[in-house]
Each structure stands twice: as structure tokens, then as C-alpha cells.
Short mmCIF file of all heavy atoms in Angstrom, two decimals:
data_model
loop_
_atom_site.label_atom_id
_atom_site.label_comp_id
_atom_site.label_asym_id
_atom_site.label_seq_id
_atom_site.Cartn_x
_atom_site.Cartn_y
_atom_site.Cartn_z
N GLU A 24 14.41 23.10 11.87
CA GLU A 24 14.01 23.64 10.58
C GLU A 24 12.82 22.83 10.05
O GLU A 24 12.69 21.64 10.35
CB GLU A 24 15.16 23.58 9.58
CG GLU A 24 16.41 24.36 10.03
CD GLU A 24 17.52 24.29 9.00
OE1 GLU A 24 17.22 24.43 7.81
OE2 GLU A 24 18.69 24.10 9.39
N ASP A 25 11.99 23.47 9.27
CA ASP A 25 10.86 22.78 8.68
C ASP A 25 11.33 22.05 7.43
O ASP A 25 11.59 22.68 6.38
CB ASP A 25 9.76 23.79 8.31
CG ASP A 25 8.50 23.12 7.79
OD1 ASP A 25 8.50 21.87 7.65
OD2 ASP A 25 7.52 23.83 7.49
N ILE A 26 11.45 20.74 7.51
CA ILE A 26 11.93 19.96 6.38
C ILE A 26 10.80 19.35 5.58
O ILE A 26 11.03 18.53 4.68
CB ILE A 26 12.92 18.86 6.85
CG1 ILE A 26 12.22 17.85 7.75
CG2 ILE A 26 14.11 19.48 7.54
CD1 ILE A 26 13.08 16.62 8.07
N GLY A 27 9.56 19.74 5.90
CA GLY A 27 8.41 19.24 5.15
C GLY A 27 8.00 17.84 5.53
O GLY A 27 7.29 17.15 4.76
N LEU A 28 8.41 17.37 6.71
CA LEU A 28 8.10 16.00 7.13
C LEU A 28 6.61 15.89 7.46
O LEU A 28 6.12 16.59 8.34
CB LEU A 28 8.96 15.62 8.33
CG LEU A 28 8.82 14.16 8.80
CD1 LEU A 28 9.44 13.23 7.77
CD2 LEU A 28 9.49 13.97 10.16
N LYS A 29 5.94 15.00 6.75
CA LYS A 29 4.52 14.79 6.99
C LYS A 29 4.19 13.30 6.81
O LYS A 29 4.79 12.64 5.94
CB LYS A 29 3.65 15.60 6.03
CG LYS A 29 3.71 17.10 6.24
CD LYS A 29 2.76 17.82 5.31
CE LYS A 29 2.85 19.34 5.49
NZ LYS A 29 2.43 19.75 6.83
N GLN A 30 3.28 12.80 7.59
CA GLN A 30 2.80 11.42 7.45
C GLN A 30 1.54 11.44 6.59
O GLN A 30 0.45 11.74 7.05
CB GLN A 30 2.49 10.82 8.83
CG GLN A 30 2.03 9.37 8.76
CD GLN A 30 1.74 8.81 10.13
OE1 GLN A 30 2.56 8.90 11.04
NE2 GLN A 30 0.55 8.22 10.29
N THR A 31 1.72 11.16 5.30
CA THR A 31 0.60 11.22 4.35
C THR A 31 0.40 9.94 3.59
O THR A 31 -0.48 9.86 2.73
CB THR A 31 0.81 12.38 3.36
OG1 THR A 31 2.10 12.28 2.78
CG2 THR A 31 0.69 13.74 4.08
N GLY A 32 1.23 8.92 3.86
CA GLY A 32 1.04 7.62 3.25
C GLY A 32 1.68 7.46 1.89
O GLY A 32 1.97 8.42 1.20
N VAL A 33 1.88 6.20 1.53
CA VAL A 33 2.35 5.80 0.20
C VAL A 33 1.39 4.77 -0.35
O VAL A 33 0.98 3.84 0.38
CB VAL A 33 3.78 5.24 0.25
CG1 VAL A 33 4.14 4.52 -1.04
CG2 VAL A 33 4.79 6.35 0.51
N THR A 34 1.04 4.89 -1.62
CA THR A 34 0.10 3.96 -2.27
C THR A 34 0.66 3.51 -3.61
O THR A 34 1.14 4.32 -4.40
CB THR A 34 -1.27 4.65 -2.50
OG1 THR A 34 -1.81 5.06 -1.24
CG2 THR A 34 -2.24 3.70 -3.18
N TYR A 35 0.61 2.21 -3.85
CA TYR A 35 0.95 1.63 -5.15
C TYR A 35 -0.34 1.13 -5.81
O TYR A 35 -1.12 0.41 -5.19
CB TYR A 35 1.91 0.46 -5.01
CG TYR A 35 3.30 0.83 -4.56
CD1 TYR A 35 4.14 -0.16 -4.05
CD2 TYR A 35 3.78 2.12 -4.64
CE1 TYR A 35 5.44 0.13 -3.64
CE2 TYR A 35 5.07 2.43 -4.23
CZ TYR A 35 5.89 1.44 -3.73
OH TYR A 35 7.16 1.75 -3.33
N LEU A 36 -0.53 1.51 -7.05
CA LEU A 36 -1.72 1.13 -7.81
C LEU A 36 -1.45 -0.11 -8.65
O LEU A 36 -0.33 -0.26 -9.20
CB LEU A 36 -2.15 2.28 -8.71
CG LEU A 36 -2.42 3.62 -8.01
CD1 LEU A 36 -2.57 4.74 -9.04
CD2 LEU A 36 -3.62 3.54 -7.12
N ALA A 37 -2.42 -0.99 -8.78
CA ALA A 37 -2.26 -2.22 -9.55
C ALA A 37 -3.27 -2.26 -10.70
O ALA A 37 -4.45 -2.01 -10.51
CB ALA A 37 -2.49 -3.44 -8.64
N ARG A 38 -2.77 -2.61 -11.88
CA ARG A 38 -3.64 -2.77 -13.05
C ARG A 38 -3.98 -4.24 -13.29
O ARG A 38 -4.91 -4.54 -14.03
CB ARG A 38 -2.94 -2.20 -14.29
CG ARG A 38 -2.67 -0.70 -14.23
CD ARG A 38 -1.80 -0.26 -15.38
NE ARG A 38 -1.43 1.16 -15.29
CZ ARG A 38 -1.88 2.11 -16.08
NH1 ARG A 38 -2.74 1.82 -17.05
NH2 ARG A 38 -1.49 3.36 -15.92
N THR A 39 -3.20 -5.15 -12.69
CA THR A 39 -3.35 -6.57 -13.01
C THR A 39 -3.42 -7.41 -11.72
O THR A 39 -2.99 -6.98 -10.65
CB THR A 39 -2.18 -7.08 -13.85
OG1 THR A 39 -0.97 -7.02 -13.06
CG2 THR A 39 -2.00 -6.22 -15.10
N ASP A 40 -3.90 -8.64 -11.89
CA ASP A 40 -3.92 -9.59 -10.77
C ASP A 40 -2.49 -9.95 -10.35
O ASP A 40 -2.21 -10.18 -9.18
CB ASP A 40 -4.65 -10.87 -11.18
CG ASP A 40 -6.15 -10.66 -11.30
OD1 ASP A 40 -6.70 -9.79 -10.58
OD2 ASP A 40 -6.78 -11.36 -12.12
N LYS A 41 -1.57 -9.97 -11.33
CA LYS A 41 -0.18 -10.28 -11.01
C LYS A 41 0.42 -9.23 -10.07
O LYS A 41 1.13 -9.56 -9.12
CB LYS A 41 0.64 -10.36 -12.29
CG LYS A 41 2.10 -10.70 -12.06
CD LYS A 41 2.87 -10.78 -13.38
CE LYS A 41 4.34 -11.10 -13.15
NZ LYS A 41 5.09 -11.17 -14.44
N GLU A 42 0.11 -7.97 -10.31
CA GLU A 42 0.60 -6.91 -9.44
C GLU A 42 -0.01 -7.04 -8.04
O GLU A 42 0.68 -6.86 -7.03
CB GLU A 42 0.28 -5.55 -10.03
CG GLU A 42 1.11 -5.21 -11.26
CD GLU A 42 0.67 -3.91 -11.91
OE1 GLU A 42 -0.56 -3.72 -12.14
OE2 GLU A 42 1.55 -3.08 -12.21
N MET A 43 -1.28 -7.37 -7.97
CA MET A 43 -1.92 -7.55 -6.67
C MET A 43 -1.31 -8.73 -5.92
O MET A 43 -1.13 -8.67 -4.69
CB MET A 43 -3.42 -7.78 -6.84
CG MET A 43 -4.19 -6.53 -7.26
SD MET A 43 -4.10 -5.16 -6.05
CE MET A 43 -4.98 -5.85 -4.63
N ALA A 44 -0.92 -9.77 -6.65
CA ALA A 44 -0.27 -10.92 -6.01
C ALA A 44 1.09 -10.51 -5.43
O ALA A 44 1.48 -10.96 -4.35
CB ALA A 44 -0.10 -12.05 -7.01
N GLY A 45 1.80 -9.64 -6.15
CA GLY A 45 3.07 -9.12 -5.63
C GLY A 45 2.86 -8.30 -4.37
O GLY A 45 3.64 -8.40 -3.42
N PHE A 46 1.81 -7.51 -4.36
CA PHE A 46 1.50 -6.72 -3.16
C PHE A 46 1.19 -7.64 -1.98
O PHE A 46 1.58 -7.36 -0.85
CB PHE A 46 0.30 -5.82 -3.42
CG PHE A 46 0.53 -4.73 -4.44
CD1 PHE A 46 -0.55 -4.00 -4.94
CD2 PHE A 46 1.80 -4.41 -4.90
CE1 PHE A 46 -0.35 -2.98 -5.87
CE2 PHE A 46 2.01 -3.40 -5.83
CZ PHE A 46 0.92 -2.69 -6.31
N ALA A 47 0.48 -8.74 -2.26
CA ALA A 47 0.10 -9.66 -1.19
C ALA A 47 1.33 -10.30 -0.54
O ALA A 47 1.35 -10.55 0.67
CB ALA A 47 -0.83 -10.74 -1.73
N LYS A 48 2.39 -10.53 -1.34
CA LYS A 48 3.63 -11.08 -0.78
C LYS A 48 4.25 -10.09 0.19
O LYS A 48 4.72 -10.48 1.27
CB LYS A 48 4.61 -11.42 -1.91
CG LYS A 48 4.18 -12.62 -2.76
CD LYS A 48 5.22 -12.88 -3.84
CE LYS A 48 4.83 -14.06 -4.70
NZ LYS A 48 5.80 -14.33 -5.79
N PHE A 49 4.29 -8.81 -0.20
CA PHE A 49 4.86 -7.84 0.72
C PHE A 49 3.99 -7.69 1.96
O PHE A 49 4.51 -7.46 3.07
CB PHE A 49 5.05 -6.47 0.07
CG PHE A 49 5.57 -5.45 1.05
CD1 PHE A 49 6.89 -5.47 1.45
CD2 PHE A 49 4.71 -4.51 1.63
CE1 PHE A 49 7.36 -4.57 2.40
CE2 PHE A 49 5.17 -3.62 2.58
CZ PHE A 49 6.51 -3.65 2.96
N LEU A 50 2.70 -7.81 1.83
CA LEU A 50 1.79 -7.65 2.97
C LEU A 50 2.18 -8.62 4.10
O LEU A 50 2.14 -8.26 5.28
CB LEU A 50 0.35 -7.88 2.54
CG LEU A 50 -0.72 -7.67 3.61
CD1 LEU A 50 -0.74 -6.22 4.09
CD2 LEU A 50 -2.09 -8.06 3.06
N LYS A 51 2.59 -9.83 3.75
CA LYS A 51 2.98 -10.80 4.76
C LYS A 51 4.23 -10.32 5.52
O LYS A 51 4.35 -10.49 6.72
CB LYS A 51 3.24 -12.15 4.10
CG LYS A 51 2.00 -12.81 3.51
CD LYS A 51 2.33 -14.13 2.84
CE LYS A 51 1.09 -14.75 2.23
NZ LYS A 51 1.40 -16.04 1.54
N ILE A 52 5.17 -9.72 4.77
CA ILE A 52 6.39 -9.17 5.41
C ILE A 52 6.01 -8.01 6.33
O ILE A 52 6.49 -7.92 7.47
CB ILE A 52 7.39 -8.72 4.33
CG1 ILE A 52 7.82 -9.88 3.47
CG2 ILE A 52 8.60 -8.02 4.98
CD1 ILE A 52 8.63 -9.48 2.26
N ALA A 53 5.13 -7.13 5.84
CA ALA A 53 4.72 -5.98 6.65
C ALA A 53 4.03 -6.42 7.93
O ALA A 53 4.29 -5.84 9.01
CB ALA A 53 3.79 -5.09 5.82
N GLU A 54 3.17 -7.41 7.83
CA GLU A 54 2.45 -7.88 9.02
C GLU A 54 3.39 -8.45 10.06
O GLU A 54 3.18 -8.27 11.26
CB GLU A 54 1.41 -8.93 8.60
CG GLU A 54 0.23 -8.36 7.81
CD GLU A 54 -0.68 -9.43 7.27
OE1 GLU A 54 -0.29 -10.60 7.20
OE2 GLU A 54 -1.82 -9.06 6.86
N THR A 55 4.46 -9.10 9.61
CA THR A 55 5.45 -9.65 10.53
C THR A 55 6.09 -8.57 11.39
O THR A 55 6.43 -8.80 12.56
CB THR A 55 6.54 -10.40 9.74
OG1 THR A 55 5.94 -11.46 9.01
CG2 THR A 55 7.61 -10.96 10.67
N HIS A 56 6.22 -7.36 10.80
CA HIS A 56 6.88 -6.26 11.51
C HIS A 56 5.88 -5.23 12.06
O HIS A 56 6.30 -4.16 12.52
CB HIS A 56 7.87 -5.57 10.56
CG HIS A 56 9.03 -6.45 10.18
ND1 HIS A 56 10.12 -6.63 10.99
CD2 HIS A 56 9.24 -7.21 9.08
CE1 HIS A 56 10.97 -7.45 10.40
NE2 HIS A 56 10.46 -7.82 9.24
N GLY A 57 4.61 -5.54 12.02
CA GLY A 57 3.63 -4.64 12.59
C GLY A 57 3.39 -3.36 11.80
O GLY A 57 2.91 -2.37 12.35
N VAL A 58 3.73 -3.36 10.52
CA VAL A 58 3.51 -2.20 9.68
C VAL A 58 2.05 -2.18 9.19
O VAL A 58 1.47 -3.24 8.91
CB VAL A 58 4.48 -2.19 8.46
CG1 VAL A 58 4.23 -0.99 7.57
CG2 VAL A 58 5.91 -2.17 8.98
N ASP A 59 1.46 -1.01 9.08
CA ASP A 59 0.03 -0.90 8.80
C ASP A 59 -0.34 -0.98 7.32
O ASP A 59 -1.36 -0.43 6.89
CB ASP A 59 -0.51 0.41 9.39
CG ASP A 59 0.17 1.65 8.81
OD1 ASP A 59 1.26 1.52 8.24
OD2 ASP A 59 -0.39 2.75 8.95
N THR A 60 0.45 -1.65 6.52
CA THR A 60 0.14 -1.84 5.11
C THR A 60 -1.14 -2.63 4.94
O THR A 60 -1.41 -3.58 5.69
CB THR A 60 1.30 -2.59 4.43
OG1 THR A 60 2.50 -1.86 4.61
CG2 THR A 60 1.05 -2.78 2.94
N ARG A 61 -1.95 -2.27 3.95
CA ARG A 61 -3.15 -3.03 3.65
C ARG A 61 -3.42 -2.99 2.15
O ARG A 61 -2.94 -2.11 1.44
CB ARG A 61 -4.35 -2.51 4.43
CG ARG A 61 -4.71 -1.07 4.21
CD ARG A 61 -5.71 -0.57 5.25
NE ARG A 61 -6.01 0.84 5.08
CZ ARG A 61 -7.05 1.31 4.37
NH1 ARG A 61 -7.89 0.47 3.79
NH2 ARG A 61 -7.25 2.61 4.27
N LEU A 62 -4.18 -3.97 1.69
CA LEU A 62 -4.58 -4.05 0.30
C LEU A 62 -5.96 -3.44 0.13
O LEU A 62 -6.85 -3.61 1.00
CB LEU A 62 -4.58 -5.49 -0.20
CG LEU A 62 -3.26 -6.25 -0.10
CD1 LEU A 62 -3.40 -7.63 -0.76
CD2 LEU A 62 -2.13 -5.47 -0.75
N LEU A 63 -6.15 -2.75 -0.98
CA LEU A 63 -7.44 -2.13 -1.30
C LEU A 63 -8.00 -2.80 -2.54
O LEU A 63 -7.27 -3.15 -3.47
CB LEU A 63 -7.26 -0.63 -1.58
CG LEU A 63 -6.55 0.20 -0.52
CD1 LEU A 63 -6.47 1.66 -0.98
CD2 LEU A 63 -7.22 0.09 0.84
N ASP A 64 -9.34 -2.96 -2.57
CA ASP A 64 -9.97 -3.45 -3.78
C ASP A 64 -10.25 -2.29 -4.74
O ASP A 64 -9.88 -1.14 -4.48
CB ASP A 64 -11.24 -4.25 -3.48
CG ASP A 64 -12.32 -3.41 -2.78
OD1 ASP A 64 -12.31 -2.16 -2.90
OD2 ASP A 64 -13.19 -4.01 -2.12
N GLN A 65 -10.88 -2.59 -5.84
CA GLN A 65 -11.10 -1.57 -6.86
C GLN A 65 -11.89 -0.37 -6.31
O GLN A 65 -11.53 0.78 -6.56
CB GLN A 65 -11.85 -2.19 -8.04
CG GLN A 65 -12.07 -1.24 -9.21
CD GLN A 65 -12.68 -1.95 -10.41
OE1 GLN A 65 -12.66 -3.16 -10.49
NE2 GLN A 65 -13.20 -1.17 -11.35
N GLY A 66 -12.95 -0.64 -5.58
CA GLY A 66 -13.76 0.46 -5.04
C GLY A 66 -13.05 1.28 -4.01
O GLY A 66 -13.14 2.51 -4.01
N GLU A 67 -12.30 0.61 -3.11
CA GLU A 67 -11.56 1.34 -2.09
C GLU A 67 -10.47 2.22 -2.70
O GLU A 67 -10.23 3.33 -2.23
CB GLU A 67 -10.94 0.33 -1.11
CG GLU A 67 -11.95 -0.39 -0.24
CD GLU A 67 -11.32 -1.54 0.52
OE1 GLU A 67 -10.45 -2.24 -0.06
OE2 GLU A 67 -11.68 -1.76 1.70
N THR A 68 -9.86 1.72 -3.76
CA THR A 68 -8.84 2.50 -4.45
C THR A 68 -9.43 3.76 -5.06
O THR A 68 -8.86 4.85 -4.95
CB THR A 68 -8.17 1.64 -5.54
OG1 THR A 68 -7.60 0.48 -4.94
CG2 THR A 68 -7.08 2.43 -6.26
N ALA A 69 -10.60 3.61 -5.69
CA ALA A 69 -11.26 4.76 -6.29
C ALA A 69 -11.67 5.79 -5.26
O ALA A 69 -11.58 7.01 -5.49
CB ALA A 69 -12.48 4.31 -7.10
N ARG A 70 -12.07 5.33 -4.09
CA ARG A 70 -12.47 6.26 -3.03
C ARG A 70 -11.27 6.95 -2.39
O ARG A 70 -11.39 8.09 -1.93
CB ARG A 70 -13.30 5.53 -1.97
CG ARG A 70 -14.70 5.13 -2.44
CD ARG A 70 -15.57 4.64 -1.29
NE ARG A 70 -15.13 3.36 -0.78
CZ ARG A 70 -15.48 2.17 -1.29
NH1 ARG A 70 -16.27 2.12 -2.36
NH2 ARG A 70 -15.06 1.05 -0.75
N LEU A 71 -10.13 6.27 -2.38
CA LEU A 71 -8.93 6.87 -1.79
C LEU A 71 -8.46 8.06 -2.61
O LEU A 71 -8.07 9.11 -2.06
CB LEU A 71 -7.79 5.83 -1.71
CG LEU A 71 -6.47 6.33 -1.12
CD1 LEU A 71 -6.64 6.63 0.37
CD2 LEU A 71 -5.36 5.30 -1.34
#
């Protein structure tokens, strides 16, 4: 059955440096497991 499964990504937006620091902590966990998580700067976020 078509359950709508699609690989389209998940993105969390940050308004503050504190939020970006939290993202950076998870990035280390993701890298340990080979997950393709990455951080975006202000311009990359706007282009996404």
C-alpha cells in the first residue's frame, strides 16, 4: 500500500547561538553513527 513514505529530510531552525550550540552537540552523536546531519549557516538556511 502507498503509505506516503518519502525521504524529504527534517530541518530544525535556530534563532539563537544557544540553539545552534545544542545542534552542534547532536551533530557529534550523528557523526558517530554515520548519519548525514549537518549544520547550516544563515545563508544556507535561507537558500534551503
Side-chain angles (χ1 to χ4, degrees):
E24 301 181 43
D25 184 357
I26 64 172
L28 186 69
K29 292 184 182 297
Q30 182 180 309
T31 52
V33 166
T34 300
Y35 291 162
L36 304 169
R38 297 171 185 250
T39 66
D40 289 330
K41 181 180 179 180
E42 289 174 312
M43 288 299 294
F46 294 168
K48 289 181 181 179
F49 176 75
L50 184 63
K51 294 178 181 178
I52 299 170
E54 289 173 343
T55 299
H56 294 279
V58 179
D59 60 342
T60 303
R61 59 192 177 94
L62 301 186
L63 307 180
D64 61 23
Q65 183 173 345
E67 291 170 321
T68 302
R70 288 191 290 275
L71 180 68

